[in-house]
Amino acid sequence: MSSELKDAAPARIDPIRAGLLCRCPHCGQGPLFEGFLKVVDRCAACGFDFSRLNTGDGAAIFIMQIAGGIVVFSALFVMIAYDPPIWLLLLIALPLVATLSIGLMRPGKGVMIALQMRNRTSHD
């Protein structure tokens, strides 16, 4: 009987790690997104309902701050240390901030969903 209960219990996974890997923070198996940023309605593996969760623009705000901070302070350092022409700095900095923003958006949104799930379940 205890083996049946043990098998029925949800997997103990780190929700932050699951969010970074864009997996279901409840079971760690099913994909969290369909397409680039559209969250699935239900997990394909465990059936968890994601329709009631809403992160809004929270992930985008954090990602803009992180990517902008990295690129701005790097550009400031390069300007002070090497004094390159502004066109060269823009040629490097603009694609870098776009790449960082797009590359961090899915894991960032996954972490926001995982944190929302973790905090909601602790209050319910």
Side-chain angles (χ1 to χ4, degrees):
M1 172 120 172
S2 68
S3 66
E4 290 175 14
L5 291 175
K6 187 176 179 184
D7 293 338
R12 291 284 182 208
I13 59 153
D14 179 21
I16 305 299
R17 183 169 187 245
L20 285 172
L21 296 173
C22 301
R23 294 284 173 198
C24 171
H26 187 255
C27 69
Q29 299 298 315
L32 187 57
F33 298 105
E34 60 180 86
F36 184 63
L37 287 177
K38 183 175 181 340
V39 179
V40 296
D41 291 330
R42 289 195 170 277
C43 175
C46 70
F48 186 85
D49 183 20
F50 290 105
S51 62
R52 58 192 164 98
L53 297 176
N54 182 14
T55 60
D57 292 334
I61 300 296
F62 286 118
I63 297 305
M64 284 190 300
Q65 295 294 322
I66 292 167
I70 290 170
V71 172
V72 166
F73 287 113
S74 298
L76 183 61
F77 172 77
V78 169
M79 279 298 287
I80 292 170
Y82 303 107
D83 195 26
I86 193 72
W87 64 266
L88 181 61
L89 194 60
L90 289 173
L91 189 68
I92 295 169
L94 293 177
L96 182 61
V97 77
T99 302
L100 277 173
S101 297
I102 292 169
L104 293 174
M105 190 57 65
R106 273 178 65 110
K109 188 167 184 172
V111 168
M112 291 292 288
I113 291 169
L115 289 172
Q116 185 178 21
M117 283 177 60
R118 186 180 72 182
N119 291 336
R120 274 202 178 169
T121 57
S122 67
H123 294 298
D124 289 346

